[in-house]
């Protein structure tokens, strides 16, 4: 069940992030992150049907860590949307997931006392090697700014922030109702995005970009698969290893590359597809061994 939930979560997150690339390339990315999270505060509300009144007693103690996670998560989403201005969706996702897997392993090992046997470590390394191969070639495309260095750097930063946010989610789901934690984790990212917007505005830069109702509806529709993504992640992380979950999430490299090809005509090179299949086989082997 852990692997099924992790895969459902990965597929749903990959779909929504791929659908949102269109908006990310046509509007302010931080504003997009805020509108995404605003729509999710309504879209994810069915998760609260699985929460009892007594479960909310654990929420106040968790809110400080969730708010920290929200700031990391808001910056992570902002960076994700920014990176796809410079490199293809599949390449950005590959770098992002590789860093997230390594960081998740390190955080779980040092702070949660999670252990992996040598073979599992080797398989995770194989997944990461595949991700590195995906990012090894340049892809000159007319709809991109084609700044590989900037895109790679932003993707790496996004991966670190994403791993930190997921680490906090993993710890919180083991302390309280996973549906409640999952919902308020996403809600904390809305608050984190709002805080970053306010700081940016006070520093004399752009505030929140106005959008029409039609544009907001489009953002909400593209964001809707997150309901399955967050619910699946919360349930999986309740009893499973964060490092293994993040390794399975590396399948988003394959999914995002396919979505990028179908939705945005972003054709990757043969060597990059080889890297994608290396990652995929590594994840499958990891599943069979575990």
């Amino acid at each position: 069940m852990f692997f099924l939930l992790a895969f459902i979560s990965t597929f749903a997150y990959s779909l929504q992030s791929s659908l949102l690339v269109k908006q990310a390339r046509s509007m302010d990315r931080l504003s997009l992150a805020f509108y995404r999270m605003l729509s999710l505060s309504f879209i994810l509300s069915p998760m609260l049907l699985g929460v009892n009144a007594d479960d909310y007693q654990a929420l106040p103690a968790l809110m400080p860590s969730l708010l920290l996670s929200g700031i990391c998560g808001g910056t992570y989403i902002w960076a994700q949307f920014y990176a796809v201005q410079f490199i293809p969706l599949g390449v950005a996702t590959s770098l992002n997931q590789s860093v997230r897997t390594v960081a998740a392993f390190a955080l779980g090992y040092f702070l949660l006392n999670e252990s992996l046997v040598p073979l599992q470590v080797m398989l995770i390394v194989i997944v990461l090697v595949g991700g590195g191969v995906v990012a090894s070639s340049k892809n000159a495309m007319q709809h991109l700014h084609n700044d590989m260095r900037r895109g790679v750097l932003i993707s790496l930063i996004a991966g670190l922030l994403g791993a930190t946010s997921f680490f906090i989610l993993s710890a919180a789901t083991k302390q309280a109702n996973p549906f409640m934690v999952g919902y308020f984790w996403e809600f904390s990212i809305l608050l984190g995005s709002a805080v970053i917007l306010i700081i940016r505005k006070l520093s004399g830069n752009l505030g929140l970009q106005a959008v029409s109702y039609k544009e907001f509806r489009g953002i909400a529709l593209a964001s809707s698969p997150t309901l399955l993504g967050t619910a699946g992640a919360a349930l999986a992380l309740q009893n499973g290893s964060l490092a293994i979950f993040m390794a399975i999430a590396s399948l988003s490299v394959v999914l995002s590359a396919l979505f990028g090809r179908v939705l945005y005509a972003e054709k990757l090179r043969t060597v990059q597809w080889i890297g994608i299949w290396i990652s995929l086989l590594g994840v499958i082997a990891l599943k069979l061994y575990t």
Side-chain angles (χ1 to χ4, degrees):
M1 182 60 71
F2 168 77
F3 282 97
L4 177 60
L5 289 170
F7 178 77
I8 290 173
S9 174
T10 298
F11 182 88
Y13 276 134
S14 298
L15 177 60
Q16 66 89 30
S17 61
S18 299
L19 292 173
L20 284 168
V21 167
K22 180 180 179 180
Q23 287 91 343
R25 289 172 173 164
S26 61
M27 65 176 291
D28 173 55
R29 271 70 64 181
L30 183 55
S31 297
L32 173 59
F34 177 82
Y35 286 124
R36 172 187 180 270
M37 300 315 304
L38 181 62
S39 67
L40 287 180
S41 67
F42 299 98
I43 293 170
L44 299 183
S45 58
M47 292 177 62
L48 297 178
L49 296 175
V51 182
N52 297 320
D54 293 340
D55 292 328
Y56 288 103
Q57 295 179 7
L59 185 59
L62 293 173
M63 281 309 298
S65 60
L66 288 178
L67 289 173
L68 174 61
S69 174
I71 293 174
C72 292
T75 312
Y76 162 66
I77 295 170
W78 180 15
Q80 267 192 314
F81 290 153
Y82 195 52
V84 294
Q85 315 299 307
F86 307 103
I87 53 179
L89 173 61
V91 174
T93 305
S94 173
L95 292 168
N96 187 307
Q97 289 295 339
S98 296
V99 174
R100 284 173 61 183
T101 302
V102 172
F105 172 73
L107 289 170
Y109 181 81
F110 290 109
L111 299 180
L112 294 181
N113 295 319
E114 293 181 346
S115 60
L116 296 173
V117 299
L119 180 57
Q120 290 173 315
V121 175
M122 182 185 71
L123 292 172
I124 289 175
V125 170
I126 289 174
V127 172
L128 299 180
V129 168
V133 173
V134 174
S136 63
S137 299
K138 294 183 178 181
N139 304 83
M141 299 179 182
Q142 292 184 350
H143 64 282
L144 299 176
H145 295 303
N146 294 306
D147 188 338
M148 191 69 175
R149 288 186 179 180
R150 183 179 296 186
V152 167
L153 178 60
I154 295 170
S155 293
L156 295 178
I157 293 172
L160 290 172
L161 292 167
T164 302
S165 190
F166 262 97
F167 171 77
I168 296 173
L169 173 64
S170 177
T173 53
K174 292 176 172 60
Q175 302 176 46
N177 184 300
F179 290 115
M180 179 189 73
V181 172
Y183 177 85
F184 283 99
W185 174 64
E186 293 282 8
F187 187 76
S188 71
I189 298 177
L190 170 63
L191 297 179
S193 300
V195 168
I196 299 169
L197 273 167
I198 292 171
I199 293 174
R200 189 176 72 169
K201 178 65 174 178
L202 292 176
S203 65
N205 294 309
L206 178 68
L208 180 65
Q209 178 181 335
V211 296
S212 66
Y213 171 75
K214 181 178 179 181
E215 290 171 328
F216 179 75
R217 186 178 60 186
I219 293 171
L221 182 61
S223 304
S224 59
T226 306
L227 175 59
L228 284 176
T230 299
L235 287 173
L237 290 172
Q238 186 179 28
N239 298 304
S241 164
L242 175 62
I244 300 296
F245 177 88
M246 297 304 291
I248 296 171
S250 295
L251 282 173
S252 62
V253 175
V254 181
L255 296 171
S256 295
L258 292 173
F259 288 140
R261 181 74 175 100
V262 173
L263 297 175
Y264 308 109
E266 294 181 351
K267 185 177 180 180
L268 300 184
R269 298 178 182 273
T270 301
V271 67
Q272 292 173 314
W273 277 110
I274 291 173
I276 285 174
W277 282 108
I278 291 173
S279 293
L280 178 60
L281 292 174
V283 171
I284 291 174
L286 185 63
K287 177 184 183 302
L288 292 176
Y289 177 80
T290 306

